[in-house]
Every structure is written in structure tokens, then in C-alpha cells.
Amino acid sequence: MMTKEKKIKYWKDLSNYDLETAIAMFETKRYLYVAFMCHQVIEKILKSYYSKLKDETPPFTHKLIYLAIHGGFYDSFDQQQIDFITEIEPFNIETRYPEYKERLLKRLSPNYCERLIEKTKELQQWIIEQI
């Protein structure tokens, strides 16, 4: 059985790995996967934070706002952070379905993806500081 500290580290390590993957996808111009991986970074760091605050396994969900609310830390986010979480929320699901792919690809320019990565890093780091 994993200790609380190991669970926190497990999710944090996955979040860092996914951030490295998002950067690699950006460098190879696979912008759809940049967005998907940015979502994954935040999902996993939220699960790390959840593990810190709760003595239970994080919910089996990809819904970021849900994790924050049920983890009891939604109110600690400022409005810009909430706006960013809301912005990246759809990237987990929409990247998987063909009817959304073309629409997303139009939105996912190099500049937009670069901004996504930077904002993801900022939010990830802020959450790490809370942990």
C-alpha cells in the first residue's frame, strides 16, 4: 500500500512527465497533443493536491473543476486560474473525437500552444507550492 507521500509524489511525477511530453509535442508541431497533454499536466497535479488534502484516492475523472471542488481547494484559485482550468477542460475529450479535431486544429496555433504551455507551467508550479 502506498503512503500518502508516495501518492503525492506519484501524481506529481506523472504531471512533470506530461509537461515534458507537451513540450516535445510542441517542438514536433503536434499541436493537438500539446493541448491534450496540458490538460493531463493539470489533471495529475490536481490529483497530487487532492492526495495531499484527502486520505483517499482521487476520483476517477478527467474533470478538472470537479477535482478541485471535491478536493476542497477550488476556492483557493483566483479567477484567472479558474478561467484557465475552464479553458483547457475540453481538451481531454475533444481531442479524441474526429468531429472536434478540425475545429481544434484551427484554434491550436503555435502561439496559442506556446501560451498554453506557459500557463500550464505557471498553474502547475502554483499548485506544487500549495502541496
Side-chain angles (χ1 to χ4, degrees), residues 19-32:
L19 180 58
E20 291 172 12
T21 303
I23 293 166
M25 293 296 96
F26 180 76
E27 290 170 354
T28 58
K29 299 179 171 122
R30 294 175 184 235
Y31 301 126
L32 189 63

Side-chain angles (χ1 to χ4, degrees), residues 36-48:
F36 176 73
M37 294 313 300
C38 285
H39 178 282
Q40 293 297 294
V41 170
I42 299 305
E43 177 184 331
K44 289 169 185 161
I45 202 63
L46 289 176
K47 288 182 177 182
S48 181

